[in-house]
Amino acid sequence: MSTRSFNRYLALIRVLFGNPLARGLLRSLNKEIDGGSALELALARYSGSKVAIPFECRVNTYILSLIMKVGSIIFGADEELAKEYLRDPAVRKGFVLIMKGLAEYGPTVPQKLPAPFLIVWNFTNLCNLKCMHCYQNAGKQLSNELSLDGKLLAVDMLDKAGVASIAFSGGEPLIHPHFLRVAAEASSRGMYLAVATNGIALSNKTFAYKVKKAGVRYLEISLDSPIPMEHDRFRGVEGAWRRTIEGIRNAVKLGFTTAIATTITRFNINYVEQMVELADDLGVNKIVFFNFIPVGRGKNILSLDLDPIERERLLRDLVRLNRKYDVEVLSTAPQYSRVSLQLSGGEEVSPTHFYIGGDPGIEALADFIGGCGAGRIYAALQPNGDVTPCVFMPIKVGNIMERDFGEIWQNSEILRRLRDRELLKGFCGKCPYKYVCGGCRARAYAYYSNFLEIDPGCIFNLNRWRKIRNISLELSKGENKLKMASTQY
């Protein structure tokens, strides 16, 4: 199946429904009726799914189908391919979000949405590893984590807001006793389910099968080195590498869309191609090189962060490796979009910051709105119900036990500012690639305590990075002098 063809279809939707008449039609469908969203039901009927359509929606459904059919002919988009994707409830949910965004805001750059595509849910703080870079500082379960009823309420709230996908993270979500029950509930709502995991629980094939039965479709399994001892040292538990590899093999055998997630630092920068080769040999669908964010325990290994020159070389290597190997090679660094665009002569833009993909339809939805998605196309849910713009950006914008998620998403001033690329400071605000990249807002916050500041990891901000490094070195020298002085007394 051609993702490019589906991308063309998404571009067509944006053009067709950018005019006032079509937006009026979308607004008339943008309502809840018996059986669900009128717009979602109309798309289901258009795709060929057998669903009952209330009489009052039939005329608008016919007009919607006619517009899309005519537009497909004019733009040369593959209508049958689009219908095939739209039979997937999760893709329909994503489409509905785009259409509701167009109805409410019109075409915007980047496109504003009434709800995020994706919620990354830090399901628990409980974890069975002790990773050096853990953004969550995970280990023991927190006393104020949501109860089972609270978690099920969260699923209901996210579904009603229109969220298309949930990526469970942690801590380690798969070792929490509530996981299978909550995942099954979210899956029954038509959401696309992903899990970010260290993979150890999946080394038990019986349990891995239960995860699949619960409705999880995508597994992103962390592996930081092709060398067992080095991975174990970084992850803090001996034998972790072996069990993680077993988990990856079980995931592939059971038919999950499977990815390896590698947080890239100076610790493993020399093993990039070996990691890609290992991913290719294991038969996973993709390998995602995660941008290191100095947050949580990651603050303790700040010296392992790549400088802008190292990151630029890495991203260029990843584009090359993506062409060389069968496995798809991605990065969550938003600059990867810009680099892939430059190296392909403007023909390819790799999706970033929307790493739960796997199905071509889901990935195409990400391509539709590229760049850093923090607070814009996704948000994070913490174990206690706090909402933050990103798992790497510990800024509370609300709590779902106190306010409805939809209200938090629509009314947060912090999220509103994150969605406006015109507010970006320094070169990020002037950059010609700010709409396909926008810089990593979490890195800006980690280094400057201001999410609108420049991303110091970008090659265009090399001078600012050098200033940060000089300050860090001076602080380190000062701390060493204090330590030496204290030993004299």
Side-chain angles (χ1 to χ4, degrees), residues 229-246:
M229 287 179 60
E230 294 204 2
H231 172 85
D232 291 354
R233 182 161 63 91
F234 197 67
R235 293 278 165 173
V237 173
E238 188 176 348
W241 190 92
R242 177 183 57 79
R243 295 180 67 189
T244 294
I245 291 292
E246 288 176 9

Side-chain angles (χ1 to χ4, degrees), residues 3-14 75-78 364:
T3 306
R4 182 179 298 227
S5 178
F6 196 54
N7 285 334
R8 185 182 298 175
Y9 202 83
L10 287 165
L12 152 70
I13 295 300
R14 192 171 185 185
F75 285 83
D78 189 336

